[in-house]
Structures are given as structure tokens and as C-alpha cells.
Amino acid sequence: MAHQKSIAFYESGSWYHRVKLLQADGTTKYSKKGGFATAEEAEKSYRQCEEAYKRAYRAHHASPAVNFELKDYLVFWLDEIYSARVENTSKMLASYVIYDLLLPNMTQGMKLRYVNAEYLNALLKTVSKATESAGNKARELLNIALKDAVTMGYIPRNPVPDTKPYQRTKPKITVLSKDKLRFFLEKASENNWYLEILLGLFMGLRKGEISGLKYSDFNMDNRTVRIERQITSNPIVPKGQFKISEYQVIEKAPKTPNSIRTLRVPEAIMFP
């Protein structure tokens, strides 16, 4: 199992962490802070410094003297707010929507406090031409971002609910007939992934759950299997970008607490 790099690092006899400092002009200075006896102390300090930076950034941009542009807010929101509470796959998609769809089509100099439904409708109409799902996804992301803007006191209300909705593109599902299913299984039995195919087809297991299975998870006497982990490919997206720089294979808990479960295994799978 691959682990993400620690935010603490050892240097010159003590533990350090990176730190961001907000300057008087609103720019960010990057530095490091050290002198910690353990990595845990450095990590605790890092989290405290991150919270202090976010509070200072919000206070600076909430000041009436500052003309906070919509573009600046979305970049800040993505990097400092949204990315902290979602998986990297969601961050990657949000980065694409903001950097590749929204920002290039925004009016230069548009202030956050002046954004209204009319402006957003025009923006979303342009964005929706990119792909079938672009309008829906961009509107969904703007709604989350501007709800947070209301919570932080940047704007009095969120105008996104007043905009035109865009339909979500539904995936096409093809149901195989019995003859086609029989033909599929005959061909699948010749494949090295036959067991994985059966687990997904007859037990509804996700790809990551199947990859995370261990021999000890199977109870041959009771003919059950315990699902309590998954293996996923975690895309690493550098700050301020939407392109993936690398992938990390990680082991983690299933998607939701309810996904931890014990299932009955069909006899055809347990004893083929």
C-alpha cells in the first residue's frame, strides 16, 4: 500500500512543516517553520497555521476596501475550501470545470458581490456547449461555491438556484438477454479475471472492493465474504491545475460505513 507523503519533514536536527503567510497586499508568501521535537508536533502546528491563514485570507477579502473578483474567489475556494473536504477524483473534476470551462468564459473583472442570475445564465449557456454534461456540472459546482460564499459572509445570498437548470446526462444501460449472458460467461471463463468478473456480476461488488479482497475475508464454511476495504487509484492534481501529475495506489475504507458488510457467496463462485 502506498502512503501519501507526510506534511512534516526532518531537517537540521528538528521537524519542520511548510507554512503560508498572508502579506499586507493580499499576496501569499511561502516559508517553513521548524524546531519541533516530533513529526506529530509539526503536523499539529501545520494544521493550526493553515486555519490561521484561511481566517486571515477570508478577513482580507471580506473587507469592503477589497474588490474580490469572482475568478479569484473560485480559485481560492477550490484550493483552500473545497479540496480539503473531497477526494482527489472530485478535486480533479472541479479543477477541470473551473480552470477549463468557467474561468476562460468569465467577464474580465467581474466582482463576486455583483454576480447575479442573469450573469450566471449567460456564463452557463456558453459553458454548456463544451460537452453534454458541462452545463449541469458547472452549475452544480457554482452552487456549492456560492453557498460557501454566503456562509463566509462574502455575499448576502446565492443566486445559482434562480438560474436555468441543465439536465444531467444519464448513462445508457444495456441489459443482456439470457443467451448473450451465457455467451459472455463462456468467454469470460477463459480470462484470468474470471473470479473478479463473477464477484462483480453476481454480488454487485465495486471494482475497488474486489481489488481489496484478501483470502482471509472468505469464510469457506459459512460461504460468506467480508467487505471492509477497497483499493483505489488516487490521482494527484497539483495545486492550481486540473491535469493529473501521477497516481498513487492506496488502501482505504469502503465508500460509506454501510459498505462494510458480510455477504453470502453463491455456490457457483465459492465452489466452481
Side-chain angles (χ1 to χ4, degrees):
M1 166 178 141
H3 295 275
Q4 294 185 358
K5 293 181 179 179
S6 173
I7 56 179
F9 58 93
Y10 194 77
E11 183 176 292
S12 302
S14 69
W15 288 91
Y16 283 75
H17 67 79
R18 300 295 178 188
V19 64
K20 293 182 290 187
L21 303 171
L22 187 68
Q23 306 300 291
D25 61 356
T27 59
T28 299
K29 178 182 177 181
Y30 295 87
S31 184
K32 61 183 180 180
K33 185 176 180 180
F36 301 100
T38 65
E40 289 75 17
E41 290 181 8
E43 291 177 1
K44 181 179 179 180
S45 174
Y46 170 82
R47 289 189 287 271
Q48 292 173 342
C49 290
E50 279 289 288
E51 286 302 315
Y53 171 82
K54 291 177 182 179
R55 287 195 298 269
Y57 194 105
R58 294 169 189 171
H60 176 81
H61 287 288
S63 170
V66 178
N67 290 319
F68 204 2
E69 293 188 9
L70 177 60
K71 286 185 177 183
D72 294 334
Y73 169 72
L74 288 177
V75 171
F76 162 70
W77 173 80
L78 174 64
D79 290 340
E80 306 297 340
I81 307 298
Y82 189 67
S83 296
R85 65 192 190 209
V86 297
E87 299 282 350
N88 269 7
T89 48
S90 297
K91 177 187 174 183
M92 179 183 66
L93 177 58
S95 298
Y96 168 74
V97 172
I98 288 177
Y99 283 100
D100 213 49
L101 298 179
L102 290 171
L103 297 190
N105 292 298
M106 285 183 184
T107 305
Q108 190 67 30
M110 183 63 186
K111 308 302 180 191
L112 175 62
R113 64 177 181 267
Y114 295 146
V115 173
N116 55 30
E118 182 180 5
Y119 171 79
L120 293 178
N121 272 328
L123 174 62
L124 290 170
K125 182 178 181 180
T126 302
V127 168
S128 67
K129 298 175 183 177
T131 66
E132 288 186 5
S133 60
N136 175 272
K137 196 61 192 178
R139 185 174 184 266
E140 177 183 296
L141 203 66
L142 281 171
N143 187 48
I144 299 172
L146 295 186
K147 280 175 66 177
D148 286 340
V150 173
T151 301
M152 292 184 287
Y154 293 160
I155 55 177
R157 64 179 299 273
N158 176 14
V160 177
D162 297 330
T163 61
K164 171 190 172 183
Y166 286 81
Q167 294 296 320
R168 182 187 297 272
T169 302
K170 295 182 180 179
K172 183 179 180 181
I173 299 176
T174 301
V175 179
L176 298 179
S177 64
K178 289 185 178 180
D179 289 339
K180 289 184 178 181
L181 180 59
R182 188 179 298 108
F183 178 78
F184 170 79
L185 290 175
E186 288 176 359
K187 294 299 180 183
S189 65
E190 303 169 5
N191 192 285
N192 292 333
W193 295 93
Y194 185 48
L195 174 59
E196 287 83 353
I197 292 171
L198 292 178
L199 289 169
L201 187 62
F202 292 107
M203 299 189 64
L205 298 187
R206 300 183 179 94
K207 178 181 176 182
E209 293 174 338
I210 295 173
S211 299
L213 287 174
K214 299 179 180 180
Y215 184 78
S216 58
D217 295 326
F218 290 88
N219 185 314
M220 305 300 286
D221 294 331
N222 295 333
R223 216 171 73 205
T224 60
V225 62
R226 178 71 175 171
I227 310 300
E228 55 186 28
R229 76 188 70 80
Q230 62 173 322
I231 299 295
T232 64
S233 181
N234 191 37
I236 305 302
V237 183
K239 185 175 181 178
Q241 300 180 27
F242 67 85
K243 292 185 178 179
I244 301 170
S245 62
E246 61 177 309
Y247 285 92
Q248 289 180 331
V249 177
I250 62 173
E251 178 184 298
K252 61 182 182 180
K255 191 172 182 180
T256 67
N258 289 335
S259 296
I260 299 176
R261 59 206 189 276
T262 299
L263 300 175
R264 186 81 171 171
V265 182
E267 187 173 348
I269 297 178
M270 187 71 83
F271 307 106

